[in-house]
Amino acid sequence: MVSEMNKEQYNGFNDLYYLPETDSTNSWAKANLDRFGPVGAVYTTNQTAGRGRLGRSWTNAAGQALYYTVVLRTPLAQPSTLPLFASLAVADVLKERYGVDCQIKWPNDLLLNGKKIAGILCEGLPEQNTILCGIGINLAQPQSCFDAAELPHASSLALQGADVNLESDPGWLARTLTDFGFDRDLYAFERLGFEACRERYRERCINLGRHVHYDGGEGTAADVDAEGRLVVQDDSGISRVFTGEVSVRGIYGAL
Ligand code: ATP
């Protein structure tokens, strides 16, 4: 339920909406598609029914985290790799604001010091020629929040030493993502797909060279291919794991 809605006033190129509270920024974007141009976004710091991949949920922490959805109504050469591109966009904005170097757990979880601090859920709406990319970033939850939610592998930027300002950072991060990560940086990705950012992605991908388990097998993560698939090597050869189908395990325990 949206109690109040503000369209952000700033000198950016794209529409950006702020909601004091909402059930899910992806759901709000879906119900309000007609408000958006080619690129736009919505954010809140209080998301009461957040969703994750594979039907999971994303834990809320009112006022202590950023919940953000970018709405892309522009044709993408390789939409299936958007989650990977998006994880890099988030890594870049966190580097700029906090000076931190996140690693990416394939396909799109962001880790800091081995703990998950951000998650991403992309949803395609083919009939509307639209893709939604929902991003949750843990800004300043205390450890008790993750203990209560039984998330031993999760953490927040503040817990990992970042200097978080809960007044200004949610808006700054949302604006920067909307005008740079999903605007300026999107130009090359729109045309070239994953090729535009594959090298940078591989540098941040924590899985490479490590043992991974996935539904259907296990082995050493050898590469991320041009389609954004995780290339896993085992004794019998190579398997290519698609995004969206599986959850890769074996990373948190290894750190
Ligand atoms: P994983 O590989 O970590 O299980 P995933 O990529 O398959 O994650 P996501 O869509 O990123 O799944 O997120 C859902 C999962 O993330 C939940 O099942 C839960 O384990 C974890 N989670 C939920 N809320 C948070 C949060 N605020 N911070 C970190 N992790 C969370």
Side-chain angles (χ1 to χ4, degrees):
M1 180 67 189
V2 176
S3 53
E4 191 187 322
M5 191 269 293
N6 285 320
K7 189 163 174 184
E8 287 269 314
Q9 297 296 313
Y10 73 109
N11 294 327
F13 314 112
N14 302 308
D15 294 326
L16 177 63
Y17 296 93
Y18 164 73
L19 309 172
E21 177 188 328
T22 191
D23 52 355
S24 140
T25 53
N26 271 24
S27 301
W28 189 88
K30 213 177 293 181
N32 289 276
L33 278 185
D34 55 352
R35 295 176 189 269
F36 292 95
V39 176
V42 55
Y43 75 99
T44 186
T45 58
N46 190 8
Q47 178 180 253
T48 54
R51 290 174 283 123
R53 295 193 318 136
L54 310 171
R56 297 170 180 153
S57 61
W58 188 257
T59 305
N60 187 40
Q64 296 175 325
L66 172 64
Y67 308 95
Y68 168 94
T69 292
V70 65
V71 180
L72 300 177
R73 318 196 72 183
T74 165
L76 299 181
Q78 207 181 27
S80 65
T81 63
L82 181 64
L84 289 79
F85 170 81
S87 66
L88 266 181
V90 177
D92 285 347
V93 81
L94 296 181
K95 171 83 178 173
E96 192 169 339
R97 173 62 189 87
Y98 303 112
V100 297
D101 272 307
C102 294
Q103 290 183 293
I104 299 171
K105 182 170 91 64
W106 183 92
N108 59 15
D109 288 344
L110 276 92
L111 310 188
L112 194 54
N113 303 322
K115 299 277 190 178
K116 180 162 164 177
I117 54 144
I120 293 176
L121 175 67
C122 292
E123 293 184 81
L125 306 174
E127 283 174 21
Q128 286 89 4
N129 293 317
T130 300
I131 303 192
L132 308 177
C133 180
I135 296 170
I137 303 178
N138 297 331
L139 294 176
Q141 298 98 315
Q143 185 58 43
S144 57
C145 208
F146 301 110
D147 293 344
E150 297 183 13
L151 293 170
H153 304 305
S155 190
S156 64
L157 281 145
L159 280 174
Q160 296 304 316
D163 179 18
V164 175
N165 180 331
L166 282 173
E167 286 296 309
S168 56
D169 288 359
W172 188 90
L173 293 167
R175 285 191 292 277
T176 306
L177 277 171
T178 311
D179 275 347
F180 291 92
F182 292 109
D183 191 283
R184 188 195 57 188
D185 292 351
L186 194 71
Y187 298 149
F189 177 75
E190 270 174 347
R191 284 183 293 109
L192 304 174
F194 189 48
E195 196 53 40
C197 58
R198 185 174 169 206
E199 270 317 307
R200 291 183 56 234
Y201 183 91
R202 285 201 288 213
E203 282 164 20
R204 288 201 185 264
C205 183
I206 193 172
N207 304 86
L208 297 185
R210 291 174 189 265
H211 195 80
V212 291
H213 295 254
Y214 61 97
D215 301 335
E218 62 180 286
T220 303
D223 199 4
V224 180
D225 72 13
E227 311 291 317
R229 296 171 298 194
L230 190 65
V231 180
V232 181
Q233 174 112 45
D234 65 13
D235 292 343
S236 57
I238 268 177
S239 307
R240 291 173 191 271
V241 184
F242 286 90
T243 62
E245 291 175 0
V246 298
S247 182
V248 170
R249 299 177 297 277
I251 289 303
Y252 298 124
L255 291 170

